[in-house]
Amino acid sequence: MLVLRRLLLSMMLLSVPVSETAAHSLRAPRDTSGISIPSLSHGQMEVVARHREEIHALASWVAVKDAEIRKLLAFSRTQFARCLWGLMPFSIQDEASPMNECSHAYLAADRAMLVRMRDLPFWQDRSRSLFDAVDIEMVEEGSSLVLCIFSATDFNTASPVGPDWHDFIEHRPSLIVILLASGTVMALLTLGTRMLFRRPRLMPA
């Protein structure tokens, strides 16, 4: 019950309006010894995200033959894990999300893979067809015009980007998910502890 009361209190506090001023700051790659990854616009992220599985399926074949694709693929997968595997709400759509910059990073790597695979001599029909499909969607949706603070951020495979953890307090959807997950874990641990140490009742003679 104590855990539940704390959780309800926290959610009540979340109903108080918070400042809309973004706490984000641009973080240039500390280590530029890897592959440079061009930035992509906020609008382009959603288009690339819709085709991510197709890009990775093709990249997994090409990676056997091309070292740059291998590094970009590894970087994208690492970044996706750092973004908690896309489980946080609005991590792509909302610029204020603490996961938005690291989402930019793995999707920028996905687009870089797509661009490179188009120009490689492996599975050209499939890679060019996929590139064209993504490109057409971007043009039709005018995605290059939708920008955010991270649209000008270049990345590097030698410098993985983590979430802005200090921004969780200001991003209500992410904070609610964290509180609910923490409360659920604590409740399960409490229940498990009680069941483990509960004394068996003595049967009447």
Side-chain angles (χ1 to χ4, degrees), residues 171-188:
H171 191 248
R172 195 165 297 149
S174 297
L175 186 55
I176 289 175
V177 170
I178 292 295
L179 289 172
L180 288 175
S182 300
T184 300
V185 170
M186 292 177 66
L188 290 174

Side-chain angles (χ1 to χ4, degrees), residues 3 18 23 61 127 135 169:
V3 172
V18 296
W61 298 347
S127 60
D135 190 49
I169 192 66

Side-chain angles (χ1 to χ4, degrees), residues 79-90:
Q79 285 299 141
F80 189 58
R82 282 173 172 257
C83 288
L84 302 182
W85 301 278
L87 297 175
M88 298 302 293
F90 308 111

Side-chain angles (χ1 to χ4, degrees), residues 2-187:
L2 179 60
V3 172
L4 182 60
R5 286 199 297 270
R6 289 179 177 176
L7 184 58
L8 291 174
L9 177 61
S10 299
M11 294 182 69
M12 290 173 61
L13 291 174
L14 288 175
S15 64
V16 179
V18 296
S19 172
E20 294 183 359
T21 303
H24 291 305
S25 60
L26 295 176
R27 295 180 287 181
R30 295 182 179 180
D31 186 350
T32 57
S33 62
I35 299 171
S36 180
I37 304 172
S39 60
L40 77 171
S41 73
H42 191 72
Q44 290 172 335
M45 289 174 66
E46 294 195 44
V47 178
V48 174
R50 289 200 294 266
H51 293 274
R52 189 166 188 268
E53 290 187 7
E54 299 170 80
I55 294 172
H56 277 236
L58 182 58
S60 64
W61 298 347
V62 180
V64 178
K65 299 178 177 292
D66 186 76
E68 184 168 326
I69 293 295
R70 280 198 301 274
K71 291 181 180 179
L72 289 169
L73 184 59
F75 177 81
S76 177
R77 288 171 174 170
T78 299
Q79 285 299 141
F80 189 58
R82 282 173 172 257
C83 288
L84 302 182
W85 301 278
L87 297 175
M88 298 302 293
F90 308 111
S91 57
I92 294 176
Q93 299 88 349
D94 189 357
E95 177 187 351
S97 169
M99 297 291 179
N100 192 245
E101 185 180 12
C102 64
S103 297
H104 266 272
Y106 74 76
L107 291 170
D110 292 344
R111 191 190 65 170
M113 285 191 289
L114 186 58
V115 172
R116 180 162 178 79
M117 289 188 296
R118 176 197 59 178
D119 299 327
L120 289 173
F122 315 115
W123 297 282
Q124 283 191 338
D125 290 344
R126 182 159 183 173
S127 60
R128 289 178 179 175
S129 176
L130 180 56
F131 178 91
D132 290 342
V134 173
D135 190 49
I136 289 171
E137 284 188 35
M138 288 182 177
V139 172
E140 290 178 345
E141 298 181 15
S143 58
S144 61
L145 303 177
V146 184
L147 305 176
C148 76
I149 189 173
F150 300 120
S151 297
T153 305
D154 288 343
F155 303 96
N156 195 285
T157 55
S159 294
V161 179
D164 284 326
W165 296 109
H166 61 279
D167 286 348
F168 268 92
I169 192 66
E170 293 190 8
H171 191 248
R172 195 165 297 149
S174 297
L175 186 55
I176 289 175
V177 170
I178 292 295
L179 289 172
L180 288 175
S182 300
T184 300
V185 170
M186 292 177 66

